[in-house]
Amino acid sequence: MRRIAVIIAALLCVLPLSAQKMSKEERAAAAKLAYEAALQSINERTWVLVPQMYTLSDGSFENISDVSVFLSAENQDIICQGAVVGGNDSQGYLAEATEYDVKVDKKGNIKLRMVVSGRMWKGTYTISVRRDSNNADVIFNPTTGDRKQFSGPIVPLVGATYNKRSNPL
């Protein structure tokens, strides 16, 4: 009886691990699907980017696990929440995209240049998304202050998990 219980416990531990492994083709298809969703949401201006990593002033990288730090586009409005993505503190800031230029090169890489202008923050975002991925590299050049670099996945607003504070400035 004890031996059967041990075998069942071992199978319960091993089966989920083997079921989670995706083949190379499945991973490529999932990445392509994420890329297509990112491209469509960028074109529709309904996306959110929750950074997973940012560059410190000394050039080293720091991981982020806070879902209340994000950059999003909601039609004409651009919302920045958190000092990492362009604000000065953790408060949310609202701005308008005075320039929103999307280019896709021959290889399929997406380049988005966005000039934002709001009461509390102004500057230019350059967002690069490599083909067959939704992971974006972002450079923010504010009109005053230091340049900021961060990266993370761009996902559509619908289904995105992020913590948006009410009443952005």
Side-chain angles (χ1 to χ4, degrees):
M1 183 71 170
R2 188 174 183 187
R3 194 177 338 177
I4 294 173
V6 171
I7 292 172
I8 290 174
L11 284 174
L12 289 175
C13 291
V14 172
L15 286 177
L17 294 176
S18 65
Q20 291 178 355
K21 293 182 181 179
M22 294 173 56
S23 69
K24 190 174 182 179
E25 294 82 20
E26 290 172 332
R27 283 193 306 269
K32 185 161 182 67
L33 187 62
Y35 169 81
E36 294 295 330
L39 179 59
Q40 182 179 0
S41 63
I42 287 171
N43 287 330
E44 294 173 354
R45 294 185 185 200
T46 56
W47 53 267
V48 65
L49 187 148
V50 178
Q52 294 177 338
M53 183 172 35
Y54 70 99
T55 306
L56 298 170
S57 59
D58 65 355
S60 62
F61 297 103
E62 185 76 27
N63 290 326
I64 304 173
S65 60
D66 189 4
V67 294
S68 64
V69 176
F70 69 90
L71 176 70
S72 73
E74 299 176 8
N75 298 320
Q76 294 298 325
D77 295 333
I78 306 299
I79 298 173
C80 157
Q81 184 171 290
V84 172
V85 294
N88 295 327
D89 53 25
S90 63
Q91 178 65 38
Y93 296 114
L94 179 68
E96 183 179 338
T98 56
E99 187 177 320
Y100 192 91
D101 184 34
V102 180
K103 292 182 181 173
V104 180
D105 65 12
K106 291 185 237 178
K107 294 180 182 177
N109 300 320
I110 305 169
K111 187 87 160 197
L112 168 62
R113 184 173 181 275
M114 198 170 51
V115 178
V116 296
S117 178
R119 285 187 338 179
M120 303 298 282
W121 123 93
K122 296 175 180 153
T124 303
Y125 284 94
T126 305
I127 301 174
S128 303
V129 181
R130 286 176 240 99
R131 69 176 172 88
D132 294 338
S133 170
N134 68 336
N135 197 36
D137 296 320
V138 182
I139 300 171
F140 174 58
N141 290 311
T143 53
T144 58
D146 296 333
R147 180 178 97 153
K148 299 181 185 217
Q149 276 185 277
F150 54 95
S151 65
I154 288 186
V155 294
L157 279 174
V158 179
T161 55
Y162 65 103
N163 183 15
K164 181 179 175 184
R165 293 187 178 94
S166 60
N167 301 325
L169 298 175

